[in-house]
Amino acid sequence: MAEVILMPRLSDTMTEGVIAAWHKKVGDTVKKGELLAEIETDKATMELESYKDGTLLHIGTDKGGKLQVDDLLAIVGTAGEDISSLIKGNSAEATSTKKEEPKKDKQPETSNLPAGQAGQQSALDISKLDEVVLMPRLSDTMEAGVIASWNKNVGDTVNKGDVLAEIETDKATMELESYKNGTLLYIGAQKGEKVPVNALLCIIGEKGKVDVDSIVAAAKSGTISQINQEGKKTESDAGVESVTASTQATNSSNGRVKASPLAKKVAKEKGVDLKFLHGTGDGGRIIKADIDKYTPAAGSSTGSPDLKTSMPSAFTGNTEEGFTDIPNSQMRGTIAKRLAESKFSAPHFYLTMEINMDNTISARAQLNEVSPVKISFNDMIVKAVALSLRQHPAVNASWMPARTGSYGNDKIRRWHHIHIGVAVAIEDGLIVPVIRFADQKTLPQIAAESKELSGKARNKKLQPSEFTGNTFTISNLGMMDIDEFTAIINPPDSCIMAVGKIKEVVVKKADGFGISNVMKITMSCDHRSVDGATGAGFLQTFKKYLENPVMMLL
């Protein structure tokens, strides 16, 4: 059955998107996860993946065309399927490639009908009502969002730009701002509940002039009817949450401190630990004034906490059996799903190599004497990998499975660009910021970009365009004293490199024995797209760059 894809809200302030490029044309086969189009928003140009398998049957506008959020973007279904009713049903969205007025202004103001009358309309499309706020798609792979917290209560006055709620996606926790002024009349889910993308999130309008019951009824007759069932907590879950909440500071939500970006910046500059502050802003949010007024208690430190206070509480013996269930975050759930799919669908094989790092250590010390940004060993590894991929394009590739599952129709896609993903561990799991066109960048440029992206990742501020599009991934645990390890391939890549620590070893030299610094790396390869000899050749080139780092500067 054909499925309509609407223009997603790809940023918290996005109201419309411009088609920067189509990567599929009508009639093309589309696989779930394949890149459909690039959408230019008010913040950045982002990639939109297909949500399902099928054939692209219709596009809502050509390259350069503008669509409002929730306008008809595309239809994917079975070749030859009759989609005339779907196009007609979305005619207001599909008839124009350049719109000057939002589609909502062209629709009957059903929500402002007297109470009871709006609900009598048999086909109330709530997506066209100004008062309705739907769950936005805040990342390219997001299918649902979990309410991390509400910053407003029903009955509160809401101004445009106010933070309504914090939404936990599969990649990060993001703030959702109000798009309009009014009163919060209804919320569609409580804290901790899951809301599908484009389902009813809340209603904002003028009290007494909006038929809330009719809107809610219309929403429940569609996909939203399963929200509460899907996101409902069991009694044991609720008990765990209450225990967790009692151990957190009053300004925390799901273990995170709620603070404005300016407050976080000022706190960092002053060395103030936000967990010791009580926020006076909206919903207990810490604002700049709270930082300015804060005076550390005697004996306390606003700098780095000592080991005793920073260590998690030790396990203490218990005379009764028991356990605590910890619900998966959206990110942890996505990690589990994607890596399980990778491990059990891609036939992994592993290549391990030992590299002499003496020259790299010496070159790094010299470079950092003149570089405007401190260059790390990982930055040099990124550069060496990127340059090696130039010479071994077969490694810079992705396995593209056929829709039918027949290997005869599969293909290998070799990327013309080199985007290096660098795995970063954060509180909720793992995320992979991407250094785009890494082969074209100098070591200081890579160092600066890597530092910026890692900081954004840890603060959950990465934009979707900053953690998608990788063609090769690096996972480095050397700084955590790990000698060597193997990593699971990060789709859609064909390879991932696991980097261990640099350690001193005794080696035989011309005049006897001496000390050298060596590092072990292990590359996991997808045998469907990369053969053993191909991977080995790539690693030989990579080894040459690190053992002769001056080659990276030529």
PDB file of all heavy atoms in Angstrom, residues 261-274 288 291-292 302-303:
ATOM      1  N   PRO A 261      21.304  28.077  27.052  1.00  0.00           N
ATOM      2  CA  PRO A 261      22.641  28.027  26.444  1.00  0.00           C
ATOM      3  C   PRO A 261      23.574  29.100  26.988  1.00  0.00           C
ATOM      4  O   PRO A 261      24.756  28.841  27.211  1.00  0.00           O
ATOM      5  CB  PRO A 261      22.344  28.242  24.948  1.00  0.00           C
ATOM      6  CG  PRO A 261      20.950  27.742  24.764  1.00  0.00           C
ATOM      7  CD  PRO A 261      20.241  28.097  26.040  1.00  0.00           C
ATOM      8  N   LEU A 262      23.048  30.312  27.228  1.00  0.00           N
ATOM      9  CA  LEU A 262      23.883  31.384  27.777  1.00  0.00           C
ATOM     10  C   LEU A 262      24.345  31.039  29.180  1.00  0.00           C
ATOM     11  O   LEU A 262      25.515  31.269  29.543  1.00  0.00           O
ATOM     12  CB  LEU A 262      23.106  32.707  27.779  1.00  0.00           C
ATOM     13  CG  LEU A 262      23.866  33.916  28.361  1.00  0.00           C
ATOM     14  CD1 LEU A 262      25.160  34.162  27.597  1.00  0.00           C
ATOM     15  CD2 LEU A 262      22.985  35.166  28.351  1.00  0.00           C
ATOM     16  N   ALA A 263      23.444  30.460  29.983  1.00  0.00           N
ATOM     17  CA  ALA A 263      23.816  30.077  31.351  1.00  0.00           C
ATOM     18  C   ALA A 263      24.917  29.030  31.334  1.00  0.00           C
ATOM     19  O   ALA A 263      25.868  29.085  32.129  1.00  0.00           O
ATOM     20  CB  ALA A 263      22.594  29.568  32.106  1.00  0.00           C
ATOM     21  N   LYS A 264      24.810  28.059  30.423  1.00  0.00           N
ATOM     22  CA  LYS A 264      25.839  27.035  30.329  1.00  0.00           C
ATOM     23  C   LYS A 264      27.183  27.635  29.939  1.00  0.00           C
ATOM     24  O   LYS A 264      28.230  27.240  30.459  1.00  0.00           O
ATOM     25  CB  LYS A 264      25.413  25.977  29.304  1.00  0.00           C
ATOM     26  CG  LYS A 264      24.254  25.106  29.764  1.00  0.00           C
ATOM     27  CD  LYS A 264      23.862  24.100  28.695  1.00  0.00           C
ATOM     28  CE  LYS A 264      22.687  23.225  29.150  1.00  0.00           C
ATOM     29  NZ  LYS A 264      22.263  22.277  28.119  1.00  0.00           N
ATOM     30  N   LYS A 265      27.141  28.603  29.006  1.00  0.00           N
ATOM     31  CA  LYS A 265      28.375  29.237  28.549  1.00  0.00           C
ATOM     32  C   LYS A 265      29.041  30.011  29.689  1.00  0.00           C
ATOM     33  O   LYS A 265      30.239  29.890  29.934  1.00  0.00           O
ATOM     34  CB  LYS A 265      28.062  30.177  27.384  1.00  0.00           C
ATOM     35  CG  LYS A 265      29.263  30.910  26.804  1.00  0.00           C
ATOM     36  CD  LYS A 265      28.841  31.714  25.587  1.00  0.00           C
ATOM     37  CE  LYS A 265      30.036  32.421  24.955  1.00  0.00           C
ATOM     38  NZ  LYS A 265      30.580  33.479  25.795  1.00  0.00           N
ATOM     39  N   VAL A 266      28.234  30.805  30.425  1.00  0.00           N
ATOM     40  CA  VAL A 266      28.769  31.599  31.525  1.00  0.00           C
ATOM     41  C   VAL A 266      29.274  30.687  32.638  1.00  0.00           C
ATOM     42  O   VAL A 266      30.332  30.944  33.245  1.00  0.00           O
ATOM     43  CB  VAL A 266      27.698  32.578  32.061  1.00  0.00           C
ATOM     44  CG1 VAL A 266      28.199  33.300  33.304  1.00  0.00           C
ATOM     45  CG2 VAL A 266      27.307  33.585  30.981  1.00  0.00           C
ATOM     46  N   ALA A 267      28.531  29.614  32.925  1.00  0.00           N
ATOM     47  CA  ALA A 267      28.944  28.680  33.976  1.00  0.00           C
ATOM     48  C   ALA A 267      30.281  28.040  33.641  1.00  0.00           C
ATOM     49  O   ALA A 267      31.143  27.869  34.504  1.00  0.00           O
ATOM     50  CB  ALA A 267      27.873  27.615  34.168  1.00  0.00           C
ATOM     51  N   LYS A 268      30.453  27.697  32.370  1.00  0.00           N
ATOM     52  CA  LYS A 268      31.718  27.096  31.948  1.00  0.00           C
ATOM     53  C   LYS A 268      32.865  28.078  32.112  1.00  0.00           C
ATOM     54  O   LYS A 268      33.954  27.722  32.576  1.00  0.00           O
ATOM     55  CB  LYS A 268      31.604  26.639  30.487  1.00  0.00           C
ATOM     56  CG  LYS A 268      32.845  25.918  29.971  1.00  0.00           C
ATOM     57  CD  LYS A 268      32.627  25.424  28.544  1.00  0.00           C
ATOM     58  CE  LYS A 268      33.869  24.692  28.036  1.00  0.00           C
ATOM     59  NZ  LYS A 268      33.683  24.219  26.633  1.00  0.00           N
ATOM     60  N   GLU A 269      32.606  29.335  31.746  1.00  0.00           N
ATOM     61  CA  GLU A 269      33.651  30.365  31.868  1.00  0.00           C
ATOM     62  C   GLU A 269      34.037  30.608  33.325  1.00  0.00           C
ATOM     63  O   GLU A 269      35.204  30.850  33.637  1.00  0.00           O
ATOM     64  CB  GLU A 269      33.167  31.673  31.222  1.00  0.00           C
ATOM     65  CG  GLU A 269      33.016  31.589  29.710  1.00  0.00           C
ATOM     66  CD  GLU A 269      32.345  32.824  29.126  1.00  0.00           C
ATOM     67  OE1 GLU A 269      31.842  33.658  29.924  1.00  0.00           O
ATOM     68  OE2 GLU A 269      32.313  32.954  27.888  1.00  0.00           O
ATOM     69  N   LYS A 270      33.049  30.538  34.236  1.00  0.00           N
ATOM     70  CA  LYS A 270      33.299  30.813  35.646  1.00  0.00           C
ATOM     71  C   LYS A 270      33.652  29.562  36.442  1.00  0.00           C
ATOM     72  O   LYS A 270      33.965  29.656  37.631  1.00  0.00           O
ATOM     73  CB  LYS A 270      32.064  31.480  36.274  1.00  0.00           C
ATOM     74  CG  LYS A 270      31.792  32.883  35.732  1.00  0.00           C
ATOM     75  CD  LYS A 270      30.657  33.541  36.516  1.00  0.00           C
ATOM     76  CE  LYS A 270      30.443  34.984  36.074  1.00  0.00           C
ATOM     77  NZ  LYS A 270      29.386  35.649  36.869  1.00  0.00           N
ATOM     78  N   GLY A 271      33.579  28.392  35.799  1.00  0.00           N
ATOM     79  CA  GLY A 271      33.888  27.155  36.495  1.00  0.00           C
ATOM     80  C   GLY A 271      32.824  26.738  37.488  1.00  0.00           C
ATOM     81  O   GLY A 271      33.120  26.092  38.501  1.00  0.00           O
ATOM     82  N   VAL A 272      31.571  27.112  37.232  1.00  0.00           N
ATOM     83  CA  VAL A 272      30.469  26.790  38.139  1.00  0.00           C
ATOM     84  C   VAL A 272      29.829  25.474  37.727  1.00  0.00           C
ATOM     85  O   VAL A 272      29.497  25.277  36.556  1.00  0.00           O
ATOM     86  CB  VAL A 272      29.411  27.920  38.136  1.00  0.00           C
ATOM     87  CG1 VAL A 272      28.207  27.517  38.982  1.00  0.00           C
ATOM     88  CG2 VAL A 272      30.012  29.214  38.655  1.00  0.00           C
ATOM     89  N   ASP A 273      29.673  24.565  38.675  1.00  0.00           N
ATOM     90  CA  ASP A 273      29.004  23.295  38.419  1.00  0.00           C
ATOM     91  C   ASP A 273      27.494  23.511  38.536  1.00  0.00           C
ATOM     92  O   ASP A 273      26.979  23.802  39.618  1.00  0.00           O
ATOM     93  CB  ASP A 273      29.479  22.253  39.427  1.00  0.00           C
ATOM     94  CG  ASP A 273      29.035  20.843  39.038  1.00  0.00           C
ATOM     95  OD1 ASP A 273      28.024  20.732  38.319  1.00  0.00           O
ATOM     96  OD2 ASP A 273      29.688  19.877  39.449  1.00  0.00           O
ATOM     97  N   LEU A 274      26.786  23.355  37.410  1.00  0.00           N
ATOM     98  CA  LEU A 274      25.357  23.672  37.370  1.00  0.00           C
ATOM     99  C   LEU A 274      24.506  22.794  38.283  1.00  0.00           C
ATOM    100  O   LEU A 274      23.402  23.188  38.666  1.00  0.00           O
ATOM    101  CB  LEU A 274      24.848  23.552  35.927  1.00  0.00           C
ATOM    102  CG  LEU A 274      25.373  24.605  34.946  1.00  0.00           C
ATOM    103  CD1 LEU A 274      24.919  24.272  33.529  1.00  0.00           C
ATOM    104  CD2 LEU A 274      24.903  25.992  35.334  1.00  0.00           C
ATOM    105  N   LYS A 288      21.069  32.912  33.250  1.00  0.00           N
ATOM    106  CA  LYS A 288      22.320  33.618  33.532  1.00  0.00           C
ATOM    107  C   LYS A 288      22.293  34.301  34.903  1.00  0.00           C
ATOM    108  O   LYS A 288      23.298  34.307  35.625  1.00  0.00           O
ATOM    109  CB  LYS A 288      22.591  34.640  32.436  1.00  0.00           C
ATOM    110  CG  LYS A 288      23.888  35.447  32.647  1.00  0.00           C
ATOM    111  CD  LYS A 288      24.117  36.407  31.508  1.00  0.00           C
ATOM    112  CE  LYS A 288      25.385  37.220  31.715  1.00  0.00           C
ATOM    113  NZ  LYS A 288      25.275  38.130  32.867  1.00  0.00           N
ATOM    114  N   ILE A 291      23.492  32.162  37.678  1.00  0.00           N
ATOM    115  CA  ILE A 291      24.949  32.017  37.723  1.00  0.00           C
ATOM    116  C   ILE A 291      25.569  33.228  38.411  1.00  0.00           C
ATOM    117  O   ILE A 291      26.448  33.108  39.265  1.00  0.00           O
ATOM    118  CB  ILE A 291      25.545  31.881  36.301  1.00  0.00           C
ATOM    119  CG1 ILE A 291      24.820  30.808  35.502  1.00  0.00           C
ATOM    120  CG2 ILE A 291      27.045  31.608  36.370  1.00  0.00           C
ATOM    121  CD1 ILE A 291      25.015  29.417  35.978  1.00  0.00           C
ATOM    122  N   ASP A 292      25.073  34.434  38.028  1.00  0.00           N
ATOM    123  CA  ASP A 292      25.627  35.669  38.585  1.00  0.00           C
ATOM    124  C   ASP A 292      25.428  35.750  40.093  1.00  0.00           C
ATOM    125  O   ASP A 292      26.267  36.295  40.815  1.00  0.00           O
ATOM    126  CB  ASP A 292      24.991  36.886  37.909  1.00  0.00           C
ATOM    127  CG  ASP A 292      25.318  36.948  36.418  1.00  0.00           C
ATOM    128  OD1 ASP A 292      26.363  36.386  36.026  1.00  0.00           O
ATOM    129  OD2 ASP A 292      24.543  37.558  35.665  1.00  0.00           O
ATOM    130  N   THR A 302      33.740  24.777  42.837  1.00  0.00           N
ATOM    131  CA  THR A 302      33.000  24.861  41.581  1.00  0.00           C
ATOM    132  C   THR A 302      33.812  24.315  40.431  1.00  0.00           C
ATOM    133  O   THR A 302      33.359  24.290  39.307  1.00  0.00           O
ATOM    134  CB  THR A 302      32.635  26.333  41.280  1.00  0.00           C
ATOM    135  OG1 THR A 302      33.843  27.091  41.241  1.00  0.00           O
ATOM    136  CG2 THR A 302      31.704  26.873  42.316  1.00  0.00           C
ATOM    137  N   GLY A 303      35.036  23.917  40.727  1.00  0.00           N
ATOM    138  CA  GLY A 303      35.864  23.321  39.686  1.00  0.00           C
ATOM    139  C   GLY A 303      35.575  21.844  39.580  1.00  0.00           C
ATOM    140  O   GLY A 303      34.482  21.372  39.834  1.00  0.00           O
TER     141      GLY A 303
END
